[in-house]
Amino acid sequence: MTWTTYHRRGEVLSTVIAAANARGDGLLPTDVAGVDAAFRDELDLLGALQLRWYTRLSGRIDGELGRQPLDLEAAVVDAWVATARQVPGVRAVLDRALAEGVHPEADRLLGNAVAKERMMLAAMAGRSSYDDEAAVAVGASIEDRARAAWAASAVAGRIGPERPSSRPATLLDRLRSALAS
């Protein structure tokens, strides 16, 4: 993949994400200009959306853990909700693909991605290690809690793009937070 192709793929993916967020119907936006040239097939596009979700989620978790170092599980839940608010269309596409079963290979890949995500949720919440057999189940319960919080925020009319914080938490911010509790 050349540098130009890589950047073009990123631009098309950003357009796909914007379309998914605008539509909110959970359908994979394959009609976006450039999708056919940038992605091999629907599985490739779905995989790129899954990776984008995962990287945003893990980055958001890291930020939340800096702001809430004493309640790890709450920080993980808050990060999941904030990520879902930021890219609700991506979450809808992934959820729909998981629920409906797009293709056997997609089902396998998405199933593996969900398991890895749940292991990360459990580990970052301090409830298990990555290699713990129970990590997937623990992560699923954390995800359920996050989905319930996200649904409650939608009912309350607070769903929509999350504003990024004005600055990342510093070491001093973390110490103040720890001392305040």
Side-chain angles (χ1 to χ4, degrees):
M1 181 180 292
T2 67
W3 185 253
T4 305
T5 305
Y6 175 78
H7 280 285
R8 178 67 185 138
R9 181 178 165 105
E11 291 169 3
V12 172
L13 184 59
S14 293
T15 305
V16 165
I17 290 169
N21 289 338
R23 294 175 186 174
D25 58 7
L27 294 174
L28 188 63
T30 56
D31 60 333
V32 170
V35 166
D36 292 336
F39 297 93
R40 287 185 311 273
D41 52 21
E42 289 184 10
L43 180 60
D44 190 25
L45 178 57
L46 196 58
L49 288 173
Q50 175 64 42
L51 182 59
R52 183 62 57 99
W53 164 262
Y54 185 89
T55 56
R56 283 188 186 203
L57 175 60
S58 62
R60 184 68 76 143
I61 289 172
D62 188 48
E64 286 295 323
L65 289 174
R67 286 184 278 286
Q68 297 185 51
L70 299 179
D71 191 349
L72 301 179
E73 188 168 336
V76 170
V77 167
D78 290 349
W80 196 99
V81 170
T83 305
R85 284 184 186 150
Q86 186 180 36
V87 287
V90 172
R91 188 67 261 159
V93 167
L94 296 173
D95 287 345
R96 186 171 186 160
L98 284 163
E100 293 181 358
V102 178
H103 179 277
E105 184 64 11
D107 296 346
R108 186 184 67 76
L109 292 174
L110 286 175
N112 288 342
V114 167
K116 297 285 186 192
E117 179 181 322
R118 289 175 175 170
M119 288 189 302
M120 176 188 64
L121 294 174
M124 299 305 282
R127 301 242 341 256
S128 76
S129 63
Y130 279 99
D131 60 353
D132 185 355
E133 291 180 14
V136 175
V138 171
S141 71
I142 294 169
E143 181 184 337
D144 289 344
R145 184 174 157 206
R147 285 181 181 276
W150 185 37
S153 71
V155 169
R158 295 185 310 246
I159 196 159
E162 182 79 6
R163 283 191 201 141
S165 64
S166 58
R167 65 179 176 82
T170 64
L171 178 60
L172 186 57
D173 292 334
R174 291 182 203 172
L175 290 172
R176 283 183 185 143
S177 176
L179 291 173
S181 330

